[in-house]
Amino acid sequence: MKATRIVRAVAGVAISGLTIAGLSVAAVAPAGAAARSTVVMMETSALTSFNGGTPDTNLVTNTDVGYLTGMGFIYYDNKPNLVRNTKFGHFEVVKKTATDFQVKYTVNKGQVWSDGTPIDAVDLLLSHVLSSGKYSIAAGLGDPSSTTAAFDSVGYGGTYDGHVVGNPVLSADKMSLTVKYDSFQPEWEILGPGPSPVHTLELLAAGKTKLGTAKENLAAKAQFLKDFTTKNTAQLKKIGAIWSKSYNIKTVDSSTNPLLLVCNGAFKVASAVADQSVTMTLNPKYNSGPAMAKTNPITKVIFSFIADGSPSYQALRNGDIDIYDGQPDAAGVAQLKAIRSATVYGGVSMTYEHVDLRVGAANGDTTAYTGPFAGDTQKAKDLRHAFLLALPRGDILDSQVKPFNPSGVVMNSHFTLPGQTGYSTIVAGSGVSEYTTGTQADRTAKALALVKKYYPTASATVQPVDIKFLFKGSQRRIDENKLIAAEEAKAGFNVSTTPNAKWSSLLSDVSYDLAMFAWAPSSVSQTGTNANFQTDGGNNHYGWGNAELDKILHSLEAYLTPAQITAKYLAAEKIVNANYYTLPLYQWPTTIAANTALKGIKSAPLTPNVVWNFWEWHY
């Protein structure tokens, strides 16, 4: 599995480094139809790609679909504990000195891709291409820290990128891969490579439109190894273009190139209807992960894209879906609990809502941002400061969270969650207190005073500063936007109120001044937020750049005590707050409702929150 941070209803976020294509797909059948072997699961955001590893496709829906079709060395359970997938392979530290730390990854023999091609360690090499900036530069694929490389991967800029030494070394039998780092990496278990069907990338680059023969597939894999080893720039650029763009399809039917759908997960893509559904059926060659339930196992999974709220509640009541996974308001929770054929599961999610202000273009984007928050002039900083002061976080919490989670609190750190180690220390010293001290009216008055420095006519009735706001059109987001627009108007900001269904692909669009979505982590990592805040971070869509902040974040890539981690988080948070980049809003509560006949559902705090244990599901 890939170690990534994802954006839910939201977008997607990668944190530790190795991100590979998640390939999957399909069409809809009613959940209540005869044979109880199909699960229809609601998703509020439509699928945008079968590869969730690029900045524009790192979306929870894409990740959920990819999780069912791909298996690697690890996954997280619902505790969340890191679990080693010994069906796929094993890994171990083989050398540990002050300057030479090596980990060996071995793929179990006998596994095959869904087209029958044997899986081996050559299939792990693409992870290095996707996560090593040094390799990208040496191979003539571009410098990911300053431009969009041939592989538009969110894997660059992470711990792996900063500490890997040279290229991974293949064993003689090509079943093992050894990765060398320049020092001990405390998060080495989640930095490891994941498998990709590299033979299909070579065949796609050659213009093939159908599955290869066994001989052709082995030859294609050998060609990839040669291209990787010799750094064949021309061929790798072709493969990079395919990896970055060709999986961005929403419809899968008889005309779809089957090479795009080869996978090693329990399910493979059968069909997809754009903006409506994705259907997956069992992969008969699956042997890369936990065995499916022996009694009444699931043989088909359908992701149905339905708006949260009344349509989804009614769909569950009618039996049109088997799993609801959304963010209901208090009335919605009551409606879900009233459905006799459904069981409601609660829990705590590590996903959290936040608002980001644009400072400049995303890393590698040459289009300049010229909006009111642009750059680091005093005016830009004052306007960003004013906007955050007038952000009605308490009102949002009271109306959107507390009705069904009375213990919910306004979140005040991007680096730790409420209740986690160091949270209170960070909040006490980061400077976030200016957004919690006094009443919202007091803070909004301070905001207006800042705006009037540059726009003297600004008032509660005159809004001279136009702000284009990017957010999804779910009811909760619409309600949050209304609260924000109303309060910001009192500070002189004219905030747009039109949602955009394509928001996840527009996070780097410089025509937007700010965005509201949620980060949904998929791993537990002390460098988990690095990709969001580093100047060259894969998730830094808003042009944030600070050399001192980069230095602090990179210093997290080492063994540290809890106290040292807290100190570094505090130092980083101070810089983020001093530059007025962003503010968190609240931690998401979890509400899952499922057909009572469907067993094995266990809510998890990390993404994927629901499908993480699909192999346990049964009727």
Side-chain angles (χ1 to χ4, degrees):
M1 299 301 165
K2 43 194 182 252
T4 53
R5 166 165 286 214
I6 300 136
V7 201
R8 183 178 271 280
V10 266
V13 197
I15 49 185
S16 70
L18 307 188
T19 307
I20 56 174
L23 317 177
S24 31
V25 209
V28 173
R36 298 311 306 175
S37 60
T38 296
V39 169
V40 181
M41 179 173 168
M42 158 213 176
E43 286 278 5
T44 58
S45 296
L47 178 89
T48 64
S49 178
F50 294 120
N51 174 12
T54 74
D56 292 333
T57 63
N58 195 9
L59 182 70
V60 164
T61 301
N62 299 343
T63 299
D64 281 353
V65 171
Y67 187 86
L68 297 180
T69 58
M71 276 289 170
F73 287 102
I74 59 173
Y75 63 89
Y76 277 93
D77 65 17
N78 60 328
K79 298 304 179 185
N81 297 312
L82 187 68
V83 180
R84 295 194 180 198
N85 176 18
T86 55
K87 288 290 187 71
F88 180 77
H90 63 276
F91 53 100
E92 59 185 332
V93 174
V94 292
K95 190 170 184 179
K96 184 178 179 181
T97 69
T99 58
D100 189 354
F101 179 67
Q102 298 183 30
V103 185
K104 183 179 180 180
Y105 298 86
T106 301
V107 177
N108 292 339
K109 293 181 178 180
Q111 296 179 87
V112 295
W113 294 102
S114 57
D115 64 355
T117 305
I119 300 173
D120 58 27
V122 176
D123 294 308
L124 305 179
L125 290 173
L126 184 65
S127 288
H128 184 71
V129 180
L130 299 175
S131 299
S132 172
K134 300 182 193 72
Y135 181 90
S136 183
I137 294 170
L141 305 178
D143 182 353
S145 68
S146 60
T147 187
T148 300
F151 289 83
D152 189 17
S153 170
V154 294
Y156 299 119
T159 302
Y160 182 97
D161 196 2
H163 296 278
V164 69
V165 176
N167 294 331
V169 178
L170 271 175
S171 62
D173 65 358
K174 295 184 174 62
M175 296 306 294
S176 296
L177 193 71
T178 300
V179 179
K180 178 180 178 179
Y181 300 97
D182 60 12
S183 59
F184 171 69
Q185 297 304 309
E187 297 173 339
W188 63 275
E189 288 184 289
I190 63 174
L191 296 179
S196 294
V198 296
H199 66 285
T200 64
L201 291 171
E202 287 283 356
L203 293 173
L204 286 162
K208 303 297 183 181
T209 58
K210 60 181 180 180
L211 298 178
T213 64
K215 182 178 180 180
E216 290 171 336
N217 292 341
L218 291 177
K221 182 180 290 195
Q223 183 61 48
F224 179 83
L225 177 57
K226 181 179 180 181
D227 291 337
F228 173 87
T229 304
T230 62
K231 299 182 177 67
N232 184 341
T233 302
Q235 186 67 1
L236 289 173
K237 281 187 174 180
K238 288 182 182 179
I239 292 173
I242 290 166
W243 184 88
S244 301
K245 300 295 182 182
S246 295
Y247 293 99
N248 298 346
I249 53 177
K250 298 181 179 181
T251 298
V252 174
D253 53 28
S254 59
S255 67
T256 302
N257 192 328
L259 289 167
L260 295 170
L261 308 177
V262 174
C263 63
N264 77 323
F267 292 88
K268 61 180 182 177
V269 174
S271 62
V273 180
D275 301 322
Q276 294 185 31
S277 64
V278 173
T279 299
M280 288 164 285
T281 54
L282 274 181
N283 170 13
K285 293 183 171 63
Y286 167 67
N287 62 351
S288 292
M292 301 295 286
K294 293 182 179 180
T295 304
N296 299 327
I298 304 305
T299 61
K300 181 185 291 186
V301 174
I302 298 171
F303 287 92
S304 183
F305 309 133
I306 304 174
D308 203 354
S310 296
S312 55
Y313 310 151
Q314 189 62 45
L316 182 62
R317 183 179 295 106
N318 293 345
D320 297 324
I321 62 173
D322 294 296
I323 300 175
Y324 164 90
D325 177 25
Q327 282 290 298
D329 56 18
V333 172
Q335 289 186 54
L336 291 170
K337 290 182 176 180
I339 300 174
R340 293 185 177 182
S341 59
T343 300
V344 176
Y345 302 85
V348 178
S349 172
M350 295 180 73
T351 298
Y352 71 91
E353 195 91 348
H354 61 103
V355 170
D356 293 350
L357 278 59
R358 184 175 298 284
V359 172
N363 180 52
D365 192 341
T366 58
T367 305
Y369 167 63
T370 59
F373 301 142
D376 289 320
T377 64
Q378 192 59 51
K379 176 181 178 181
K381 284 189 173 183
D382 282 344
L383 291 179
R384 295 200 299 266
H385 188 187
F387 192 92
L388 295 180
L389 279 169
L391 194 64
R393 299 191 303 151
D395 292 341
I396 290 172
L397 179 79
D398 290 342
S399 65
Q400 303 301 314
V401 178
K402 282 199 170 182
F404 56 98
N405 181 21
S407 61
V409 297
V410 170
M411 190 171 158
N412 286 310
S413 171
H414 282 283
F415 293 85
T416 56
L417 296 171
Q420 288 186 328
T421 300
Y423 179 81
S424 59
T425 299
I426 293 167
V427 170
S430 69
V432 75
S433 59
E434 69 172 317
Y435 304 111
T436 59
T437 301
T439 66
Q440 184 58 58
D442 295 334
R443 294 189 290 273
T444 301
K446 291 179 181 178
L448 179 59
L450 283 170
V451 173
K452 287 176 75 68
K453 286 173 58 177
Y454 308 97
Y455 301 91
T457 63
S459 70
T461 57
V462 178
Q463 291 84 35
V465 188
D466 291 327
I467 299 294
K468 192 174 180 182
F469 194 167
L470 179 64
F471 64 100
K472 181 185 175 182
S474 65
Q475 189 57 53
R476 194 190 69 204
R477 291 271 165 63
I478 290 172
D479 291 343
E480 290 174 353
N481 168 262
K482 287 180 179 178
L483 289 169
I484 292 171
E487 193 64 30
E488 295 289 351
K490 300 174 186 176
F493 292 103
N494 177 34
V495 178
S496 66
T497 56
T498 302
N500 195 316
K502 298 180 180 179
W503 68 273
S504 63
S505 63
L506 299 171
L507 288 171
S508 297
D509 188 332
V510 295
S511 67
Y512 286 95
D513 301 299
L514 75 154
M516 176 173 61
F517 55 97
W519 289 133
S522 61
S523 68
V524 178
S525 164
Q526 69 189 39
T527 58
T529 52
N530 281 21
N532 303 353
F533 294 106
Q534 286 175 193
T535 302
D536 62 349
N539 301 316
N540 185 348
H541 302 283
Y542 276 66
W544 304 332
N546 183 284
E548 183 60 27
L549 179 59
D550 289 344
K551 182 179 179 181
I552 294 169
L553 296 177
H554 282 302
S555 72
L556 287 163
E557 300 166 356
Y559 174 77
L560 300 168
T561 65
Q564 289 173 321
I565 294 171
T566 295
K568 291 182 182 295
Y569 283 170
L570 173 57
E573 196 100 59
K574 282 181 178 179
I575 294 173
V576 170
N577 288 336
N579 283 278
Y580 314 110
Y581 290 153
T582 176
L583 274 179
L585 298 178
Y586 57 84
Q587 188 176 351
W588 277 24
T590 297
T591 302
I592 297 169
N595 181 340
T596 299
L598 179 61
K599 307 301 181 183
I601 301 296
K602 299 176 183 177
S603 174
L606 293 170
T607 294
N609 306 93
V610 181
V611 302
W612 74 270
N613 68 330
F614 63 83
W615 54 85
E616 295 182 13
W617 295 359
H618 67 278
Y619 284 103

